[in-house]
Amino acid sequence: MPESPAVPATRPTPSDPVELSAEDGKLVVLARGARGRVGAVEGAAVRDQDGRTYAAASVSLPSLTITALQLAVASAVAAGATRLEAAAVVTEASTLDGAGHAAVRDLAADAPIHVAAPDGTVLGTVAE
């Protein structure tokens, strides 16, 4: 089995909030919906190279723990995505989880990752 790339030890901190495009705003709405449907800690959504979107909520089971952003990226890859254009995470945290950040960077070195509060207010964007 191939080794996984190391997950960054630090949690990326979003830059100041930016004005979202309509398409990126849709990602925040999808992430909020995914989080709210199951009462999860966080929700996430990604958009692939063809404009298709994938939303997911965090999962915490005795045998499986995966962040919402990791699951959204995994869903995109399972559907054939090879590149991501953008991502959004809705969370109560003020930083982005390292594992989710790494998953997005596996498919896109520069795709913006918008971090939003549960009410949909964009806290900032991670661009690196």
Side-chain angles (χ1 to χ4, degrees):
M1 181 182 291
E3 283 188 38
S4 306
V7 174
T10 59
R11 294 172 65 95
T13 303
S15 66
D16 292 332
V18 296
E19 184 78 24
L20 296 186
S21 68
E23 289 299 310
D24 286 359
K26 177 181 168 185
L27 292 177
V28 173
V29 171
L30 291 170
R32 285 185 72 207
R35 180 181 184 269
R37 267 191 302 283
V38 296
V41 173
E42 64 183 22
V46 299
R47 185 176 60 252
D48 73 9
Q49 74 276 358
D50 296 323
R52 296 175 296 188
T53 56
Y54 307 86
S58 53
V59 174
S60 183
L61 300 172
S63 64
L64 174 68
T65 300
I66 188 167
T67 71
L69 195 48
Q70 285 178 305
L71 185 53
V73 170
S75 296
V77 170
T82 57
R83 189 172 51 83
L84 296 179
E85 292 181 350
V89 178
V90 173
T91 180
E92 293 181 15
S94 61
T95 57
L96 179 63
D97 71 273
H101 178 254
V104 170
R105 293 298 169 243
D106 285 344
L107 294 183
D110 59 353
I113 306 170
H114 306 293
V115 180
D119 69 358
T121 304
V122 178
L123 303 173
T125 300
V126 174
E128 68 239 11

